[in-house]
Amino acid sequence: MITFDISQWRAWAPGRSAPADWQSWANGQYLASSDATAPDVSFLPAMQRRRLSHLARMAFAVGWPLSEGHAQLPLVFVSRHGETPRTFSILSELAARQPLSPTQFSLSVHNAVIGLWSILRGATCEMTALAATGDGFEHGVLEAAALLAEGAPAVLLIITEELPPEAYSPWIDDVPFAYALGLLLTPGKQWQLAPGAAPANPTLELPHGLSWLKAMLTGCTSFTHTGKRRTWNWQRQP
């Protein structure tokens, strides 16, 4: 079992950016939105914004405000599917025998987001990019907790997924909408997370990060996430 505090959080999805938007979503209110909506990253110079994909913009939109006041803040970036739209575009160009852009290729790798983050923030501390199956959120929390245990005063955790191209729809069904969630973890005992054995038929309506956000906003103090190999038991001090 690990324990930690979550001192701040931010989330973004099309039509949902303010805490009140997410509270309404957690309470079951439908919010009409367009998946073409772009996150606000106006805090970056225009030349720097041009290099950011939609996925990177989501990550920066939730992570940048949480990192203010922290000169060197360790970062754990989690995405199961990563830059799938950018990679699909590269594959389409290959199929059409078109020349490839070296910049597009270099930004399609899974750790491109944390590379850009390091450059734009001038950060040289620990940074990790993870790609896991359905419980990548919990693996990111474990990585962040390990950094706290090594002495980091705070760790930034960012979880983000982008809607995949339509061609992938038969295989990717765990992204209800494009979203990003940022958490600032600090030492403490507010939250407890413990793994357990996985049930025979795991079911979960939402990705684990969004499920956690909904549970937190609705005041749940105990809930469970299930993956293919384990169950994750969450507890929060009332």
Side-chain angles (χ1 to χ4, degrees):
M1 180 183 70
I2 60 171
T3 63
F4 50 90
D5 286 357
I6 296 176
S7 60
Q8 296 181 63
W9 68 273
R10 291 183 70 94
W12 185 92
R16 308 173 183 92
S17 56
D21 298 332
W22 287 104
Q23 186 66 63
S24 298
W25 167 81
N27 293 337
Q29 179 179 336
Y30 173 77
L31 297 177
S33 63
S34 168
D35 286 318
T37 306
D40 180 14
V41 288
S42 57
F43 47 80
L44 294 173
M47 288 297 292
Q48 295 178 351
R49 294 198 300 266
R50 290 180 58 188
R51 292 175 60 84
L52 301 182
S53 66
H54 193 264
L55 183 83
R57 285 172 179 254
M58 291 192 294
F60 274 66
V62 299
W64 199 273
L66 297 179
S67 65
E68 292 301 317
H70 299 271
Q72 294 294 329
L73 181 65
L75 168 64
V76 179
F77 171 76
V78 180
S79 180
R80 180 177 186 178
H81 305 293
E83 295 280 4
T84 302
R86 194 192 292 266
T87 303
F88 183 75
S89 175
I90 293 173
L91 293 174
S92 298
E93 291 172 353
L94 277 173
R97 299 184 181 277
Q98 297 296 315
L100 300 183
S101 163
T103 300
Q104 286 286 85
F105 177 77
S106 66
L107 295 177
S108 69
V109 298
H110 196 70
N111 61 352
V113 171
I114 63 173
L116 290 169
W117 179 274
S118 174
I119 293 170
L120 298 185
R121 288 201 64 84
T124 57
C125 53
E126 298 90 343
M127 296 186 188
T128 303
L130 299 178
T133 53
D135 52 0
F137 173 60
E138 279 80 11
H139 286 288
V141 171
L142 285 177
E143 182 72 17
L147 290 168
L148 292 176
E150 290 181 351
V155 179
L156 177 61
L157 173 63
I158 298 176
I159 305 94
T160 183
E161 298 290 354
E162 189 173 2
L163 280 174
E166 183 63 28
Y168 289 103
S169 59
W171 300 278
I172 300 178
D173 60 359
D174 59 346
V175 186
F177 47 80
Y179 68 91
L181 173 65
L183 306 177
L184 188 65
L185 279 70
T186 53
K189 297 185 180 300
Q190 174 192 27
W191 288 93
Q192 299 177 358
L193 175 62
N201 298 303
T203 58
L204 192 67
E205 294 182 0
L206 291 170
H208 290 194
L210 291 177
S211 177
W212 174 89
L213 180 59
K214 186 173 184 179
M216 185 272 295
L217 290 173
T218 54
C220 291
T221 58
S222 178
F223 52 95
T224 298
H225 291 159
T226 56
K228 291 182 178 180
R229 298 185 177 181
R230 61 186 57 83
T231 296
W232 298 94
N233 301 305
W234 286 85
Q235 299 280 340
R236 178 173 57 168
Q237 296 296 326

